[in-house]
Amino acid sequence: MILIDYALIGLLAGFCAGYLGIGGGLIMVPALTWLFLKDSSTAEYAVHLAVATSLSSMLVTALSSIHAHHRRAAILWPLVRDLAPGLLAGAVAGALLAVRLSTEMLASVFGVYAALAGLQLLTGREVTGEKPMPGPMGNTLTGTSIGTLSSLVGIGGGSMTVPWLLWHGRNVKNAVATAAACGFPIAVAGTLTFVLVGHD
């Protein structure tokens, strides 16, 4: 029965990500938290397990997205290269912070982020701009911020990366594709950190 639950959560997260344009992690984390809370052996760290599991699932989904976007030559690889060091460092920092937070505090952090992401979706405000890119150091700092928050709440970071790229004058196709590529280093670093230092 538990396998069916996992499959249904995956289907729902994939549907919402593809059809509604919201990140799968925003669906997967609360759904997995509910599932883990039902089991006394996982209830104590339900939110932490949900965040870590959501990140690990992105190891597969991110590669699939990268393959599809790369075939259309939509990924801005030099920009991914500049963001990657910050994304990796931030993802490690976010996971380390998540492990040290209580279940209640981590749930609150996720709730605030989900509420803000939902508000942005409901307002439907278009992000446009021509602000110049900040350069390698600025990109690294931006990547660190995105990676930290993404790993902390178990998402791929697209809800932050895409608006940031649009604000800097990139078109929607390149912004979405580049954000998808940026999700992979977040997933790798976040997952490995949770595996190495997560709760027993």
Side-chain angles (χ1 to χ4, degrees):
M1 193 65 184
I2 192 70
L3 294 179
I4 296 176
D5 290 334
Y6 287 141
L8 290 174
I9 290 172
L11 284 172
L12 179 61
F15 173 80
C16 290
Y19 184 71
L20 299 178
I22 63 174
L26 289 173
I27 300 297
M28 193 171 293
V29 171
L32 287 174
T33 297
W34 172 77
L35 200 60
F36 292 144
L37 284 172
K38 293 169 59 178
D39 187 342
S40 59
S41 66
T42 56
E44 184 179 359
Y45 298 116
V47 183
H48 297 82
L49 290 170
V51 168
T53 303
S54 177
L55 283 172
S56 65
S57 72
M58 292 173 202
L59 293 170
V60 178
T61 58
L63 282 177
S64 176
S65 295
I66 289 171
H67 176 69
H69 288 301
H70 181 69
R71 289 181 61 185
R72 293 192 286 270
I75 300 174
L76 303 174
W77 285 112
L79 188 51
V80 175
R81 179 198 62 211
D82 286 347
L83 290 168
L87 293 170
L88 290 166
V92 171
L96 289 173
L97 178 58
V99 168
R100 283 158 178 76
L101 292 179
S102 66
T103 297
E104 293 76 14
M105 182 61 71
L106 186 57
S108 297
V109 171
F110 179 86
V112 169
Y113 179 82
L116 292 174
L119 185 62
Q120 181 186 15
L121 185 66
L122 287 173
T123 57
R125 180 174 174 270
E126 261 187 61
V127 180
T128 56
E130 293 296 334
K131 187 176 177 64
M133 296 300 293
M137 181 59 70
N139 288 337
T140 298
L141 293 174
T142 298
T144 302
S145 300
I146 293 173
T148 300
L149 186 53
S150 298
S151 184
L152 180 61
V153 298
I155 62 172
S159 57
M160 292 174 283
T161 308
V162 171
W164 183 75
L165 290 172
L166 294 176
W167 189 38
H168 286 86
R170 299 307 186 264
N171 64 52
V172 173
K173 182 182 79 170
N174 292 136
V176 171
T178 303
C182 288
F184 187 69
I186 292 172
V188 170
T191 298
L192 287 176
T193 304
F194 271 111
V195 168
L196 293 174
V197 303
H199 296 288
D200 295 330

